[in-house]
Amino acid sequence: MRNLKLQRSRGCSGLQALGSPQCFSLRTDTGSLLVASGHSIAELDPRAQQVVNEVSLNADSYLPEDGSGTIVGIQDLPDQESVCVATASGDVILYNLSTNQLECVGSVDSGLTGMSWSPDQELVTLSTGQNTIIMMTKDFEPITEVRIHQDDFGEGMFITVGWGKKETQFHGSEGKQAAKQKTTDVLPALPWDDHRPRITWRGDGQFFAVSAVCPETGARKVRVWNRECILQSTSEAINGLEQALCWKPSGSLIAATQRKPNKHDVVFLEKNGLLHGEFTLPLGKDQAKVRELMWNSDSTVLAIWLEDMNSAGDSKPSTYIQLWTVGNYHWYLKQSLHFGSDPQRAPVFLAWDPEVPLRLHVLCRGWQYLCYDWAWSTEHSMGDDLQDDANVAVIDGDRVMVTTFRQCVVPPPMCTYQIHLPTAVNQVTFHPEPGKTNDLAVLTADDKIMIYSKGEKSHEDPTVKVGAVGGNGFRVTAQTPELKATYSLVLREGVEPLGLRLLTWLRDDSFLAVSSGEGPSQSRLLLLRPAGVEGLPHSLEIRSSVPVEGHVITMCYRQKTGTVALQLEDGQIRKFLWESLEPCIVEWRDDAGRSVGFPQPCVQTALCTVAGEEQLLGLTDRSRLFIGDTELASNISSFVLYDDFLLLTTHSHTCRCLSLNETSVKGLQSALSCESGQNDETLRRVERGSCIITVIPQDTRLVLQMPRGNLETIHHRALVLAQVRKWLDRLLFKDAFECMRKLRINLNLIYDHNPKVFLDHVEMFLKQIDSINHINLFLTELKEEDTTKTMYPCPSNSTAQMAPVPSGKKVDLVCDAMRVAMENIDPHKYCLSVLTSYVKKSIPELEIALQKVHELRVNPPSVAGAVSAEEALKYLLFLVNVNELYEHSLGTYDFDLVLMVAEKSQKDPKEYLPFLNTLKKMEPNYQRYTIDKHLKRYRKALQHLSKCGQEHFTEFLNLVKDQKLYNEGLRLYTSDSPQYKAISCAYAEHLLEQQFPEQAGLLLSRCGEKLRALEAFVTSTSWQHAFCMAARLHFTPDKLADLARTLAGKLVELRRYTEAALLLEQYAKDCEEAILALIEGTAWEEALRLVYTHDRQDILETNLKPALLEAHSNQISFLDSQRTLFIRHKSRLAVVRELKEKARLELLDEDAPDCPDAELFSEASSMMTAGNTGSKYSHSNSRISARSSKNRRKAERKKNSLKEGSPLEDVALIQALSEIIHTTDKITDEVNSLLKVLVLFGYDGQALQLQQDYEETLQLMDKAIPEIWQDGLQQSSTPVLGPNSTANSIMASYQQQRAPSVLQQEAELLIPPKMKKNFKWKLRLLQ
């Protein structure tokens, strides 16, 4: 649905060279034209508008002096810096452009009728006057010469398998009579045919076709030859085949023209000579003749050069050029260039540019040169409200086919309606103002502008015909426009065809257009308004003409800001201040005052606002998208602006939708350069080659066109969510719900978008939806998940994002609010939805829902249309599993309700009736106990069973023991009851089994079981409670002594020496054993107190002093071993770190010599990555570690092994050093106590030695802490990303993100241990 929009038209006139021009060839390196005339070869420079070089062909008699000579071919040869010319007299002339030498490289006596070079310019074919073809190399060495007219078909001769006779074959619509008819003779060529052969090459240079008049029949035939000049095929006999011939560069078809009795067609032939498709020219019978056909370089446009037939004897026929394109198997006439009847303005030759596909060069007989640059453009309306019908206009000759995509999406060439104009259409533009965006203005080839508008009561216009939406049985919903005004343009005389371009509608009565300027590189901006002259009421006059230095190639207008942006051919951007008193042009500058321009010229531009600044977007023909001078992406195939969104398609077959309000230019650049995430709503996959046509305003539809021409409508997720959010903000719940339901958007967004607003307007939501099924659908989709944080993240500037969120569970809040609202509006109507609200709560309230059903059964509603109990129960069974519902109904203790549910279920009555009958015979409390036990609601069962009397207490106690409901059982009885005591004893036995003897003893003590309580306290070594029980049991002193010795032994085993000594001294009355226990526990000072209290100084010599010396020796040995081990581990850690640093440098040298993130590979990250490489230990021991804690500890020790060369050796070393420091620092109190006693007994030498050794050890460790735990180790494990990150650095940082337990353990190792420096342990008298 694209049109050809003229971007630039250049021309130069007033030039004059020898003779009249006949043909030309383009010099691609300089941009000049090599023009051959009847006298000379001239080089024309369009930029300088002068003839820069000319050589006469009359001097050496190549052409006659009178100028009657004919040039049959001209070709520029860049490799040879020459131009080759073939004359009708038979000379092949080579003119060297650098040396200006003229050379005849060959001559044919019979003369030449044509010359054509292969696309690679390696071969040249010449057609001679003897109807032969001469093939030569580029050095003009003959290869072969063959006759054009041959009897053979060629190497591609069709094979007949001989199945049956012609009369028995299928003949299509013509029937069998066609086989019996005799073949008629082929008609000869038309009288105006010049009878010259036409040669055309395929784009790859492997084949060429020749169209020549057969001497026998006088009709034209097309023959196809290969590169070796071997005939491949001959076309079938085609009546009325004309001279024009051109092979499509893509190689599929050969275009020619055929005149039929009632129409004039362009026909296509395949390489095998058979016809393959056609289209009819919009001409009357014998109205015009086709001079030439020409494909452009990318095979998208076919140019047809036509000339009116001289039927009335007029010597001045009109000439025109038509540009045709194809889409969806339909041929469109996109542009028509009318040159009038002036012979001097008639074209003599035209050619497409070989490098710029949509550039056409035309040379007229009066030495006027014209160059036209076109670009593909989609003409669509620019409105953004509901009144805009999303119109797209397609030009097809004298018709404008308009499709209103809001009402219908029909594939071209079908459309909503067609506008028929008196002449060919060259451009269409739409009204920009809101409410009038469906109006369109049409610029025709005769420089008239016709305004079509849709009024409130449009009348039928005979020039507007309904298209695909009409017909029998269809109601036309699209409103058709009518012709409101026709304006003729008052332009200067002698303006070339398409003198007006880039027509833009500004206001009701204002148009803006571009025309050629006075100079060769100038343009003029024309502000057109209706003429005020009474004699010219329907004409547009130029109210303002502003010259522009440079050619304006694009122009766009933004109605919101009134900005008109122009782009020049070199990419410069200008702003046209058209509303000022003196319209003028200024440079486009950004907010910083810097001049902005495109690095490359763009073929499509659009104005938008990005981060509060107005910007100009541009797309080049090489798929590069710019915003100002910044390139956003280089793979964009199409884009369109809608509201605050930029929608674009890429060559990677995706459609992106980016919000311009939420990002900056850099944000857009980064968004288009990186891959999107899984839940990225901005990206969607589309079919290969899709291009954007339009967006339906205030809707979610985006229309794409495929390469073949068919259309596809998609609902882009970003557009859908944006529109849904708009509807929700405007409280249009129904529109939002219908869209979300149809496009499978999670319905939770209705609440999550703005919870407070939804809860405040629940009744409005219910009234708008007004469908029980839809309300139930909404309730059943409710989840606790906040979709604005997971599936559909809110825009950063959204007001809903800042709204307070109500406290409580989301599902419960919505269900309760909707249930209250439904019951207020109409409880009978919303009965099923009310049931749904009970069932969908986080803890389903099935009992209440069942009770509602039961109420319906007991009291059936009398309201018409109300839901019956059977329907409600059936619906409830649809929501809830039948067995679960049966269990819940049983839990209500309502047997009528149970029977109602059971009857609707698939249960066999033999299963539930006996059980229900048994229950009915029971006492109410025991009945409820039985039901609760059946439903495994044991706590409720206990409550009911406790009310059943003493005879059921045994059953009660067994239930307590089985389900371990001791606390619940104790609460159901008073503390002085025998049942309470029985439960307490059972609980105590349970606690003893669970290894909680002290708690068991407390329970037994409270129940009066003193002896059993004493045993429990002794087992738990709770000696205070044990002696309390002994006192209550009135133990004798001997029993107390035995009890004390027993408990003292247990305390010594637990290394609680001081408590053991207390029991031995006070209860066992054995001071010696008490003193020995204190000596064993190194409680020196307490031991001395008891020695002197009980006057046992003999123990000093026998036990205390030897124990002191032994403790001194042990401490000296311990400190020596710890110091030695510490030094060894510290030295090894330094070696390991050095080795890992070397490995890190080698890795960086291999991957990135200048890696800017080398600091990321610190010792911490090295240690972390080493931990990851050693993960084989954890994997290999995963099965073992699941067996027992012992094996888990073993696996952990194996993982952090101190073995040299292990992956985590540095971690193990740090862990070992930390343990040594903690262990050494922990004995400070013990050393201080030992020093005091050593000094007391005169062991000053030993005390001094111990104090010095311990002090040296502590100082050694304190100084080593900064070396071991360096600052670089305490870095964050957060992944390091950013523009300067490398693959290795990102991988290393991500590898640090492992299990939390592993991270916590390693984090603890990174923290240096703290020593007790403030504790005064040293003795000053030893210093």
Side-chain angles (χ1 to χ4, degrees):
M1 303 188 75
R2 299 181 301 174
N3 297 320
L4 281 175
K5 177 180 281 190
L6 182 61
Q7 286 197 316
R8 179 174 64 173
S9 91
R10 294 180 298 166
C12 59
S13 57
L15 302 176
Q16 193 65 42
L18 296 175
S20 176
Q22 297 183 11
C23 56
F24 67 84
S25 178
L26 294 169
R27 285 193 69 182
T28 56
D29 52 349
T30 63
S32 59
L33 271 72
L34 297 169
V35 183
S37 68
H39 291 280
S40 63
I41 302 174
E43 184 175 3
L44 172 64
D45 187 355
R47 294 187 180 89
Q49 292 201 341
Q50 61 182 358
V51 177
V52 296
N53 196 2
E54 186 175 9
V55 59
S56 174
L57 297 178
N58 303 131
D60 296 329
S61 300
Y62 295 124
L63 293 176
E65 295 287 344
D66 59 358
S68 60
T70 304
I71 305 294
V72 297
I74 183 171
Q75 178 66 48
D76 175 45
L77 305 175
D79 293 344
Q80 304 179 33
E81 295 185 357
S82 304
V83 57
C84 181
V85 176
T87 66
S89 60
D91 294 326
V92 179
I93 305 166
L94 195 66
Y95 172 55
N96 193 299
L97 297 169
S98 59
T99 62
N100 294 329
Q101 291 182 354
L102 202 63
E103 177 187 2
C104 180
V105 294
S107 181
V108 180
D109 295 337
S110 60
L112 296 175
T113 56
M115 178 184 72
S116 180
W117 285 75
S118 63
D120 57 4
Q121 294 192 348
E122 293 291 330
L123 300 173
V124 58
T125 55
L126 303 170
S127 59
T128 70
Q130 293 180 347
N131 289 329
T132 61
I133 294 176
I134 300 174
M135 178 171 283
M136 307 173 74
T137 65
K138 65 179 180 179
D139 298 323
F140 302 100
E141 295 179 0
I143 297 176
T144 184
E145 181 177 4
V146 296
R147 291 184 298 106
I148 295 178
H149 305 289
Q150 299 188 18
D151 297 333
D152 295 338
F153 180 85
E155 288 187 345
M157 180 69 181
F158 302 118
I159 299 174
T160 304
V161 296
W163 286 349
K165 297 181 180 180
K166 184 174 179 61
E167 290 80 2
T168 63
Q169 303 303 310
F170 177 70
H171 300 283
S173 60
E174 295 180 354
K176 291 186 178 181
Q177 298 300 323
K180 300 177 182 179
Q181 294 177 2
K182 295 183 179 181
T183 57
T184 58
D185 295 334
V186 181
L187 298 177
L190 298 171
W192 58 267
D193 195 313
D194 59 8
H195 290 255
R196 283 174 48 192
R198 295 292 192 277
I199 306 174
T200 178
W201 285 82
R202 200 170 75 172
D204 58 359
Q206 297 301 313
F207 298 94
F208 66 92
V210 179
S211 172
V213 177
C214 180
E216 298 177 358
T217 62
R220 281 190 174 268
K221 273 193 177 183
V222 178
R223 290 177 172 86
V224 178
W225 313 74
N226 66 5
R227 196 176 176 88
E228 287 75 30
C229 208
I230 299 174
L231 182 63
Q232 299 298 301
S233 61
T234 303
S235 69
E236 56 185 310
I238 303 174
N239 271 324
L241 188 65
E242 298 180 320
Q243 62 188 17
L245 188 74
C246 189
W247 201 321
K248 195 174 183 179
S250 61
S252 55
L253 297 172
I254 305 169
T257 57
Q258 180 187 10
R259 188 179 296 274
K260 296 181 180 179
N262 56 350
K263 59 182 179 178
H264 201 169
D265 289 349
V266 174
V267 296
F268 300 103
L269 294 88
E270 298 180 358
K271 186 173 72 72
N272 57 14
L274 298 179
L275 289 172
H276 183 95
E278 61 187 24
F279 70 90
T280 302
L281 295 173
L283 303 172
K285 183 179 179 181
D286 298 331
Q287 178 182 347
K289 58 184 177 181
V290 177
R291 295 285 301 272
E292 292 295 344
L293 296 174
M294 286 192 179
W295 289 100
N296 70 332
S297 59
D298 63 357
S299 306
T300 56
V301 183
L302 178 63
I304 304 179
W305 177 11
L306 297 132
E307 184 179 299
D308 283 345
M309 299 286 287
N310 191 10
S311 57
D314 187 5
S315 60
K316 296 181 179 181
S318 296
T319 310
Y320 39 96
I321 298 172
Q322 295 180 347
L323 304 184
W324 292 78
T325 65
V326 66
N328 217 11
Y329 305 107
H330 177 78
W331 283 88
Y332 298 87
L333 174 55
K334 291 298 183 184
Q335 291 287 320
S336 185
L337 287 71
H338 289 234
F339 290 87
S341 58
D342 185 358
Q344 294 300 311
R345 294 182 59 190
V348 295
F349 197 79
L350 64 144
W352 288 102
D353 195 280
E355 294 183 351
V356 183
L358 295 178
R359 177 175 293 172
L360 181 65
H361 304 271
V362 181
L363 184 63
C364 298
R365 184 170 286 110
W367 287 92
Q368 182 184 15
Y369 164 74
L370 300 173
C371 177
Y372 297 99
D373 285 354
W374 279 279
W376 294 110
S377 172
T378 302
E379 306 298 340
H380 56 85
S381 54
M382 305 300 293
D384 56 0
D385 50 19
L386 288 171
Q387 283 74 32
D388 186 90
D389 290 334
N391 306 275
V392 175
V394 179
I395 297 173
D396 185 14
D398 60 354
R399 298 181 302 167
V400 177
M401 298 188 290
V402 182
T403 302
T404 57
F405 284 102
R406 184 177 295 279
Q407 283 82 21
C408 58
V409 179
V410 292
M414 293 189 290
C415 60
T416 307
Y417 58 86
Q418 299 178 4
I419 300 176
H420 292 261
L421 286 306
T423 56
V425 178
N426 285 334
Q427 193 178 342
V428 177
T429 182
F430 284 91
H431 203 300
E433 293 184 0
K436 301 179 180 180
T437 54
N438 296 317
D439 299 350
L440 71 157
V442 180
L443 175 63
T444 59
D446 57 353
D447 294 332
K448 289 185 179 180
I449 296 179
M450 300 184 177
I451 310 298
Y452 283 83
S453 176
K454 294 181 180 180
E456 294 181 359
K457 295 182 179 179
S458 296
H459 304 285
E460 289 190 5
D461 191 324
T463 63
V464 180
K465 296 182 179 179
V466 177
V469 297
N472 295 329
F474 291 92
R475 181 171 59 89
V476 180
T477 59
Q479 184 182 2
T480 57
E482 60 179 332
L483 181 62
K484 293 294 184 181
T486 300
Y487 296 106
S488 59
L489 297 176
V490 182
L491 299 176
R492 69 180 190 272
E493 293 294 331
V495 177
E496 67 275 2
L498 304 184
L500 210 62
R501 66 182 190 274
L502 302 179
L503 182 67
T504 304
W505 201 342
L506 300 179
R507 287 181 184 159
D508 286 338
D509 57 349
S510 299
F511 293 90
L512 190 62
V514 180
S515 69
S516 300
E518 300 296 334
S521 61
Q522 284 187 343
S523 301
R524 284 196 309 154
L525 279 182
L526 306 179
L527 189 59
L528 306 174
R529 287 177 179 165
V533 183
E534 295 182 0
L536 299 171
H538 300 293
S539 64
L540 290 176
E541 66 176 4
I542 301 174
R543 291 296 179 92
S544 177
S545 176
V546 182
V548 183
E549 288 297 329
H551 291 280
V552 178
I553 61 173
T554 63
M555 179 167 57
C556 59
Y557 170 64
R558 191 179 186 202
Q559 192 274 333
K560 288 182 180 179
T561 58
T563 305
V564 175
L566 315 173
Q567 182 199 184
L568 305 183
E569 59 183 343
D570 57 355
Q572 296 184 49
I573 304 174
R574 299 287 186 266
K575 182 183 292 187
F576 180 47
L577 306 179
W578 64 281
E579 292 182 307
S580 59
L581 294 176
E582 291 292 333
C584 60
I585 294 174
V586 296
E587 286 189 350
W588 187 281
R589 297 184 180 274
D590 57 12
D591 289 346
R594 185 173 56 90
S595 180
V596 179
F598 292 133
Q600 293 181 4
C602 298
V603 296
Q604 180 187 356
T605 57
L607 283 165
C608 63
T609 301
V610 180
E613 182 179 358
E614 193 168 28
Q615 302 272 11
L616 186 64
L617 274 167
L619 180 66
T620 69
D621 55 353
R622 299 289 182 179
S623 305
R624 300 179 67 184
L625 181 67
F626 295 98
I627 184 165
D629 52 7
T630 304
E631 182 176 4
L632 298 182
S634 58
N635 66 333
I636 307 302
S637 57
S638 65
F639 80 90
V640 71
L641 290 170
Y642 164 68
D643 199 11
D644 297 325
F645 289 98
L646 168 63
L647 293 104
L648 41 84
T649 55
T650 67
H651 289 301
S652 55
H653 324 308
T654 60
C655 180
R656 302 293 298 268
C657 182
L658 303 173
S659 176
L660 299 177
N661 279 345
E662 302 172 19
T663 185
S664 60
V665 175
K666 289 185 177 179
L668 288 172
Q669 197 173 18
S670 61
L672 291 172
S673 62
C674 64
E675 293 293 332
S676 60
Q678 181 179 3
N679 289 333
D680 186 7
E681 65 184 45
T682 67
L683 182 139
R684 177 197 170 111
R685 287 278 175 186
V686 293
E687 189 177 332
R688 179 188 296 269
S690 300
C691 289
I692 297 175
I693 298 300
T694 189
V695 184
I696 288 82
Q698 300 299 320
D699 204 324
T700 61
R701 289 177 288 168
L702 174 66
V703 182
L704 304 174
Q705 187 169 27
M706 306 304 110
R708 194 194 72 186
N710 54 313
L711 301 179
E712 180 178 337
T713 302
I714 65 172
H715 297 264
H716 199 292
R717 183 56 55 92
L719 285 180
V720 172
L721 293 177
Q723 188 61 44
V724 166
R725 291 183 183 114
K726 288 181 184 178
W727 281 327
L728 293 176
D729 289 337
R730 291 154 53 190
L731 302 181
L732 300 176
F733 295 110
K734 183 177 179 60
D735 294 337
F737 182 89
E738 291 292 342
C739 176
M740 295 169 73
R741 185 177 67 91
K742 182 171 66 174
L743 301 179
R744 302 182 67 83
I745 304 293
N746 195 306
L747 295 177
N748 283 268
L749 184 61
I750 296 177
Y751 171 85
D752 295 335
H753 176 69
N754 197 326
K756 185 177 184 304
V757 169
F758 177 82
L759 293 177
D760 292 343
H761 299 84
V762 170
E763 288 194 10
M764 181 185 293
F765 171 76
L766 293 171
K767 291 176 181 177
Q768 287 187 18
I769 300 300
D770 198 28
S771 169
I772 305 302
N773 291 334
H774 290 172
I775 294 172
N776 292 340
L777 177 64
F778 172 73
L779 289 171
T780 51
E781 280 201 16
L782 286 175
K783 293 180 182 178
E784 290 297 335
E785 173 190 4
D786 187 353
T787 55
T788 61
K789 292 184 173 61
T790 55
M791 301 175 67
Y792 317 118
C794 256
S796 56
N797 59 350
S798 173
T799 56
Q801 195 178 33
M802 299 177 285
V805 179
S807 59
K809 290 188 175 182
K810 162 185 157 183
V811 177
D812 293 347
L813 284 173
V814 176
C815 288
D816 292 341
M818 291 192 65
R819 182 172 61 254
V820 171
M822 288 184 290
E823 289 176 346
N824 289 338
I825 298 173
D826 189 346
H828 300 293
K829 175 183 177 181
Y830 296 107
C831 177
L832 298 182
S833 299
V834 170
L835 294 178
T836 310
S837 68
Y838 283 118
V839 173
K840 278 302 295 180
K841 294 192 72 172
S842 54
I843 300 176
E845 298 177 350
L846 295 179
E847 291 85 355
I848 303 178
L850 286 168
Q851 196 61 42
K852 291 280 185 182
V853 176
H854 186 61
E855 290 175 4
L856 288 175
R857 186 168 188 173
V858 174
N859 300 312
S862 57
V863 182
V867 178
S868 64
E870 286 72 17
E871 292 174 343
L873 184 59
K874 186 177 181 181
Y875 175 73
L876 208 57
L877 288 171
F878 169 73
L879 293 178
V880 187
N881 181 272
V882 62
N883 295 321
E884 183 180 356
L885 195 63
Y886 174 78
E887 301 291 343
H888 277 86
S889 64
L890 195 60
T892 61
Y893 316 117
D894 187 339
F895 289 100
D896 292 338
L897 190 60
V898 175
L899 283 172
M900 185 176 67
V901 174
E903 288 172 359
K904 291 293 181 182
S905 69
Q906 301 295 324
K907 287 181 175 292
D908 188 352
K910 294 180 180 178
E911 296 179 9
Y912 61 85
L913 284 179
F915 177 64
L916 295 179
N917 292 331
T918 304
L919 290 174
K920 287 181 180 179
K921 297 175 182 177
M922 295 179 180
E923 188 266 334
N925 285 320
Y926 195 77
Q927 179 192 82
R928 295 192 173 188
Y929 154 71
T930 307
I931 292 173
D932 290 330
K933 186 178 179 182
H934 172 75
L935 299 177
K936 297 182 179 180
R937 301 190 300 192
Y938 298 110
R939 286 179 173 81
K940 281 190 173 183
L942 275 181
Q943 295 176 6
H944 294 302
L945 189 57
S946 65
K947 301 174 184 177
C948 292
Q950 181 63 29
E951 63 272 14
H952 293 286
F953 180 71
T954 304
E955 192 175 355
F956 179 90
L957 189 59
N958 291 333
L959 182 61
V960 168
K961 291 180 180 180
D962 291 341
Q963 302 302 324
K964 299 179 177 56
L965 299 174
Y966 299 100
N967 290 326
E968 288 78 2
L970 289 173
R971 295 191 192 100
L972 295 174
Y973 292 97
T974 58
S975 58
D976 57 348
S977 62
Q979 293 88 348
Y980 189 90
K981 181 177 180 180
I983 297 170
S984 298
C985 292
Y987 197 4
E989 291 176 1
H990 172 69
L991 289 173
L992 286 172
E993 291 175 359
Q994 298 296 319
Q995 304 299 320
F996 297 108
E998 185 176 14
Q999 298 181 40
L1002 294 174
L1003 274 177
L1004 292 169
S1005 173
R1006 192 170 63 178
C1007 295
E1009 296 288 335
K1010 301 173 185 176
L1011 189 58
R1012 294 174 62 187
L1014 176 61
E1015 294 174 357
F1017 287 136
V1018 171
T1019 304
S1020 65
T1021 62
S1022 179
W1023 59 271
Q1024 293 92 341
H1025 289 293
F1027 279 103
C1028 291
M1029 286 297 102
R1032 293 175 65 183
L1033 290 169
H1034 306 291
F1035 270 28
T1036 62
D1038 293 338
K1039 285 188 175 183
L1040 284 176
D1042 292 338
L1043 179 62
R1045 292 181 186 280
T1046 302
L1047 287 171
K1050 290 180 176 290
L1051 290 171
V1052 168
E1053 291 176 1
L1054 298 174
R1055 303 179 69 84
R1056 294 160 62 179
Y1057 298 101
T1058 305
E1059 296 175 71
L1062 178 65
L1063 295 183
L1064 291 171
E1065 180 195 5
Q1066 293 186 2
Y1067 293 98
K1069 306 301 181 181
D1070 189 345
C1071 63
E1072 182 177 353
E1073 289 294 328
I1075 294 169
L1076 293 178
L1078 291 171
I1079 292 173
E1080 184 181 355
T1082 66
W1084 312 110
E1085 295 170 347
E1086 183 65 17
L1088 283 174
R1089 186 185 70 80
L1090 291 184
V1091 165
Y1092 289 108
T1093 300
H1094 296 282
D1095 194 20
R1096 291 296 304 272
Q1097 286 86 350
D1098 55 321
I1099 298 178
L1100 295 176
E1101 299 296 332
T1102 57
N1103 297 95
L1104 183 61
K1105 290 182 179 180
L1108 275 175
L1109 295 175
E1110 184 181 0
H1112 169 266
S1113 176
N1114 290 339
Q1115 290 289 6
I1116 293 294
S1117 301
F1118 173 74
L1119 291 174
D1120 184 57
S1121 64
Q1122 292 293 91
R1123 190 164 50 247
T1124 304
L1125 192 61
F1126 184 84
I1127 294 172
R1128 185 168 72 243
H1129 286 346
K1130 177 174 171 288
S1131 303
R1132 178 60 189 169
L1133 179 61
V1135 174
V1136 172
R1137 285 177 172 172
E1138 184 179 356
L1139 293 174
K1140 290 203 170 186
E1141 178 67 14
K1142 289 181 180 179
R1144 180 186 71 87
L1145 293 175
E1146 290 175 3
L1147 175 64
L1148 294 182
D1149 288 341
E1150 291 176 5
D1151 264 349
D1154 300 319
C1155 177
D1157 295 308
E1159 65 272 9
L1160 292 175
F1161 292 89
S1162 63
E1163 290 160 357
S1165 63
S1166 174
M1167 185 175 69
M1168 294 291 199
T1169 32
N1172 284 331
T1173 57
S1175 62
K1176 61 183 180 181
Y1177 293 100
S1178 60
H1179 285 293
S1180 62
N1181 289 298
S1182 59
R1183 237 180 3 208
I1184 301 172
S1185 61
R1187 293 175 187 167
S1188 65
S1189 59
K1190 178 181 177 181
N1191 286 333
R1192 282 197 297 272
R1193 288 193 299 270
K1194 181 179 178 182
E1196 189 64 29
R1197 285 196 302 271
K1198 187 175 180 182
K1199 177 182 175 183
N1200 295 342
S1201 173
L1202 288 171
K1203 182 180 178 181
E1204 291 189 7
S1206 63
L1208 290 177
E1209 184 183 0
D1210 52 352
V1211 179
L1213 287 169
I1214 293 177
Q1215 185 176 1
L1217 288 167
S1218 178
E1219 290 176 358
I1220 292 172
I1221 293 174
H1222 282 299
T1223 304
T1224 306
D1225 190 55
K1226 191 168 59 176
I1227 63 172
T1228 305
D1229 297 338
E1230 190 176 342
V1231 171
N1232 177 258
S1233 176
L1234 182 58
L1235 288 174
K1236 292 177 184 178
V1237 182
L1238 286 172
V1239 171
L1240 181 64
F1241 287 102
Y1243 298 114
D1244 292 353
Q1246 288 87 340
L1248 181 60
Q1249 180 189 5
L1250 177 60
Q1251 181 165 309
Q1252 288 177 348
D1253 285 1
Y1254 190 48
E1255 185 176 12
E1256 291 173 1
T1257 304
L1258 292 178
Q1259 289 177 355
L1260 171 67
M1261 295 178 179
D1262 189 39
K1263 291 179 181 178
I1265 286 177
E1267 300 177 17
I1268 299 170
W1269 286 272
Q1270 300 170 355
D1271 293 337
L1273 289 175
Q1274 303 179 43
Q1275 68 174 8
S1276 172
S1277 61
T1278 306
V1280 182
L1281 306 173
N1284 295 324
S1285 300
T1286 62
N1288 285 334
S1289 65
I1290 294 173
M1291 182 181 69
S1293 60
Y1294 266 107
Q1295 283 177 345
Q1296 296 179 25
Q1297 290 189 317
R1298 288 177 288 159
S1301 60
V1302 177
L1303 285 177
Q1304 183 179 2
Q1305 179 184 0
E1306 292 180 350
E1308 292 174 358
L1309 295 178
L1310 299 180
I1311 301 174
K1314 295 182 180 180
M1315 302 178 66
K1316 295 186 290 184
K1317 297 181 181 181
N1318 297 328
F1319 184 73
K1320 306 298 183 182
W1321 62 272
K1322 293 189 294 184
L1323 300 181
R1324 297 181 63 86
L1325 54 89
L1326 292 177
Q1327 295 179 353

